[in-house]
Amino acid sequence: VSRGDLTARLFPAMKRRYDELSIVAKDFDAMVERIDVLVKAREALLHDISHELRTPLARVQLAVGLARQSELNIPQSLDRID
């Protein structure tokens, strides 16, 4: 787990034991599962945020490009950027 392997599980190898170590293994597996869920959620959020920012940024870049083509386009491009 410390190396990033969030598929590691202990309880399946210890499920025949009925002592404190099997309880710790079960809790460890629950912890690793929760960390895995959180890491995947963070990655999905970052993907969604970057995707949502691309379109507005592309539109602003287009408006700036149009403004640079001609001085007549500057007021319209500034309105579009606003």
Side-chain angles (χ1 to χ4, degrees), residues 8-80:
R9 299 294 184 267
L10 296 177
F11 188 70
M14 301 180 76
K15 64 183 170 184
R16 292 180 186 234
R17 295 177 66 152
Y18 298 101
D19 61 1
E20 294 86 3
L21 289 179
S22 65
I23 294 170
V24 170
K26 195 173 187 179
D27 290 344
F28 175 85
D29 289 353
M31 177 191 69
V32 174
E33 182 66 31
R34 181 72 177 136
I35 290 170
D36 189 35
V37 167
L38 291 172
V39 167
K40 287 177 181 173
R42 184 194 66 192
E43 290 171 357
L45 177 64
L46 290 175
H47 177 267
D48 291 346
I49 288 170
S50 66
H51 177 73
E52 292 297 323
L53 288 177
R54 281 189 201 118
T55 301
L57 288 176
R59 293 181 75 177
V60 169
Q61 288 174 335
L62 176 66
V64 168
L66 290 173
R68 287 184 176 154
Q69 286 180 356
S70 169
E71 289 185 19
L72 299 174
N73 292 336
I74 291 175
Q76 295 164 340
S77 296
L78 289 176
D79 289 341
R80 201 175 283 146

